[in-house]
Amino acid sequence: MAAALAEARKGVGHTSPNPAVGAALVIGNRVVARGHHERAGAPHAEMVCLRRFGRRVPPDATLYITLEPCSTHGRTPPCTEALIEAGVRRIVIGALDVNPTHNGRALEQLRSAGVSVRAGVLADECRRLNETFNKWIVSARPFVIAKCAMSLDGRLTRPATESRWMSDATARRHVHQLRATVDAIMIGAETLRTDNPRLTVRGLRHRRQPWRIVVTRSGNLPETARLFTDTAAARTRVYQGKSLHAVLAELGAEAITSVLIEGGGNLLGQALEARLIDKVQIYLAPVLTGGGVSAFAALGAAAATSAARVRDVEYRRVGRTLCVSGYPVYPKRGVQKGRNFARNKRLNEHEVKRE
């Protein structure tokens, strides 16, 4: 399964709105063929693997697949039928398809045909590989990653006379690798006006350009900005006067499965307040700036008990920068009892004390 996972990772950033899937055919504890899904509409991983093997599968072979095979007609015929016809008698599956319509259906079809099926091998790793697809296929909303580079004291900006880069060159290359895995990159209007970013994937070969999304209340945007004038201008969209919920719903309806929010602080804060962030990836630069723009400019939690906790935290040194990533877990709203209520209560208590 580790070999199948390695194959699947080759497709990350290329297969959307399909999942990244890998397969490995094993005979006598030796991998004799591998394959991965290269792009939407192309043959699925298990079919690529069997074609590379090039002959009928012997009964002692085992096919390892990171994701439950498709069992219905789509752009391609059902893989379950093809596997049965190819003579595959033993299959090991990493993760089941989270789509309720398909979940477990392939296992039933294969077992009914006499195929030995085992599921759940390296299941967590296989599920994590397709976290964006899993969120989108179940909710019709894109998976949202909040990314920012900030100082140790939580600021996004340096003085106007200095370089706008908070992180070093190694960390910026790391960000381009992240950009290459998502369908869209989102910023707010102030970031566009202040930084005039490109939001392109640079330094990586054979990578598609994600959509570039700008959200704005006023629509007052500079026409000469790079996003509107460079060679990728056709990949830029502007959403005016719409809530983040509405924007993400529209993007999801158009099969955009993942969105990387890159700033600024107000937009990141809005996403946090609305509980729209599925994952954070924060680059901590070894500087202390003071002042400036907060990384997540929001009202904030009313108390520590109502703050979002981050699980499955990973710490990675990237150049001189510390990359911290993880998954926010939001408290039940009943515990929080509304931030506005808590804030008003604090204000009222202050007034009583002053009197």
Side-chain angles (χ1 to χ4, degrees):
M1 188 59 73
L5 269 168
E7 279 293 307
R9 292 188 183 101
K10 296 178 182 178
V12 173
H14 298 284
T15 62
S16 182
N18 286 359
V21 185
L25 186 65
V26 175
I27 301 176
N29 291 325
R30 185 171 67 91
V31 177
V32 296
R34 308 167 191 251
H36 69 277
H37 184 45
E38 295 184 356
R39 64 184 185 282
H44 290 181
E46 49 270 54
M47 298 298 98
V48 174
C49 181
L50 295 182
R51 289 175 186 176
R52 288 178 178 173
F53 184 61
R55 57 188 185 276
R56 187 168 182 80
V57 178
D60 61 338
T62 302
L63 181 64
Y64 290 79
I65 315 170
T66 57
L67 182 66
E68 178 181 358
C70 67
S71 54
T72 58
H73 281 274
R75 293 187 181 183
T76 60
C79 287
T80 49
E81 295 179 4
L83 293 173
I84 295 168
E85 292 175 1
V88 179
R89 308 311 299 162
R90 294 190 298 189
I91 296 178
V92 178
I93 296 170
L96 297 183
D97 191 334
V98 298
N99 188 334
T101 305
H102 301 152
N103 184 268
R105 178 174 174 173
L107 277 64
E108 296 176 2
Q109 292 181 359
L110 292 167
R111 286 169 176 161
S112 297
V115 179
S116 171
V117 181
R118 179 186 175 192
V121 175
L122 296 185
D124 290 341
E125 291 90 332
C126 292
R127 279 192 294 268
R128 182 62 56 83
L129 184 72
N130 286 305
E131 58 191 6
T132 58
F133 170 81
N134 292 343
K135 162 77 180 295
W136 174 74
I137 202 68
V138 171
S139 68
R141 298 291 192 275
F143 187 88
V144 176
I145 305 170
K147 168 264 166 184
C148 64
M150 66 183 185
S151 62
L152 291 178
D153 52 341
R155 304 298 170 173
L156 293 180
T157 56
R158 286 177 167 179
T161 55
E162 296 184 7
S163 167
R164 62 188 175 93
W165 301 114
M166 188 71 71
S167 56
D168 59 22
T170 303
R172 293 198 292 274
R173 285 195 294 270
H174 198 259
V175 169
H176 284 288
Q177 294 172 352
L178 174 61
R179 285 179 176 177
T181 67
V182 300
D183 291 342
I185 304 169
M186 180 184 291
I187 61 170
E190 186 59 29
T191 297
L192 178 69
R193 289 190 286 262
T194 302
D195 295 343
N196 192 19
R198 287 180 281 181
L199 304 184
T200 53
V201 176
R202 302 187 292 279
L204 300 174
R205 298 181 60 186
H206 309 301
R207 290 292 184 174
R208 63 191 176 122
Q209 170 60 43
W211 285 98
R212 303 180 298 187
I213 310 297
V214 182
V215 292
T216 173
R217 291 191 182 94
S218 67
N220 180 23
L221 303 174
E223 296 181 357
T224 57
R226 290 189 178 112
L227 298 191
F228 305 135
T229 58
D230 65 10
T231 56
R235 300 283 290 176
T236 300
R237 297 184 183 184
V238 175
Y239 290 87
Q240 181 181 353
K242 293 187 177 182
S243 69
L244 278 179
H245 279 285
V247 173
L248 291 172
E250 289 189 29
L251 295 176
E254 297 184 28
I256 292 177
T257 66
S258 55
V259 172
L260 177 65
I261 300 181
E262 290 209 14
N266 288 331
L267 184 61
L268 288 167
Q270 291 173 36
L272 179 62
E273 289 278 7
R275 302 182 172 207
L276 297 174
I277 298 172
D278 297 297
K279 183 177 183 179
V280 294
Q281 187 148 320
I282 298 172
Y283 296 84
L284 285 171
V287 295
L288 295 167
T289 65
V293 179
S294 297
F296 291 82
L299 175 62
T305 54
S306 61
R309 305 292 174 175
V310 181
R311 63 174 174 83
D312 298 339
V313 181
E314 292 185 2
Y315 304 90
R316 179 185 303 178
R317 183 172 178 175
V318 182
R320 295 184 297 104
T321 303
L322 179 64
C323 177
V324 183
S325 62
Y327 302 83
V329 178
Y330 301 97
K332 294 181 180 179
R333 293 188 184 277
V335 175
Q336 193 170 354
K337 296 182 181 179
R339 287 179 179 155
N340 288 336
F341 173 80
R343 181 180 61 176
N344 291 338
K345 182 180 179 182
R346 292 198 302 269
L347 290 174
N348 290 336
E349 290 174 347
H350 174 73
E351 290 296 324
V352 170
K353 290 177 182 178
R354 191 183 65 173
E355 292 174 353

